[in-house]
Amino acid sequence: MPAEPKTAFVFFNCDENKSEQSMNIFYNRIVYRDLTTARKLLWKKIREELGAEKIFIDENDLPTVRQMILTGDPTEASTLIKFGAIKTVECF
């Protein structure tokens, strides 16, 4: 019997409209498994992108984005990130 797929997340830089065509898997190729350590690395990546001004998150939304990434549904944080999105993928 094949193994059950595991949930993982990928952060993408993208256009303001979050169009699929602007999300490049060859540029954003790191996959973050749904594990505490990986979620911390995803949050670190978001902070790096924010610091480099590649994405924008309203200062008031930062605690919410952090919570969603570390303990909630990281894909929901995408609604608060301009020029960035987090997508769910399945891996084995």
Side-chain angles (χ1 to χ4, degrees), residues 5-21:
K6 307 275 190 231
T7 301
F9 307 99
V10 179
F11 167 78
F12 289 100
N13 296 91
C14 59
D15 63 20
E16 188 172 4
N17 297 321
K18 300 183 190 317
S19 68
E20 300 263 326
Q21 296 83 359

Side-chain angles (χ1 to χ4, degrees), residues 6-78:
K6 307 275 190 231
T7 301
F9 307 99
V10 179
F11 167 78
F12 289 100
N13 296 91
C14 59
D15 63 20
E16 188 172 4
N17 297 321
K18 300 183 190 317
S19 68
E20 300 263 326
Q21 296 83 359
S22 69
M23 297 180 196
N24 184 344
I25 194 69
F26 296 105
Y27 181 73
N28 300 110
R29 61 185 180 272
I30 299 173
V31 177
Y32 302 90
R33 291 191 49 206
D34 191 9
L35 303 169
T36 302
T37 304
R39 284 173 174 253
K40 287 178 182 178
L41 291 172
L42 175 57
W43 173 239
K44 180 181 176 186
K45 173 67 172 174
I46 297 297
R47 289 192 334 258
E48 289 170 356
E49 294 292 306
L50 185 61
E53 298 181 350
K54 294 180 180 179
I55 62 171
F56 175 79
I57 302 171
D58 187 281
E59 187 176 309
N60 295 324
D61 292 330
L62 277 175
T64 302
V65 171
R66 181 180 183 274
Q67 182 276 323
M68 289 175 176
I69 291 171
L70 295 178
T71 61
D73 180 357
T75 61
E76 290 182 13
S78 294

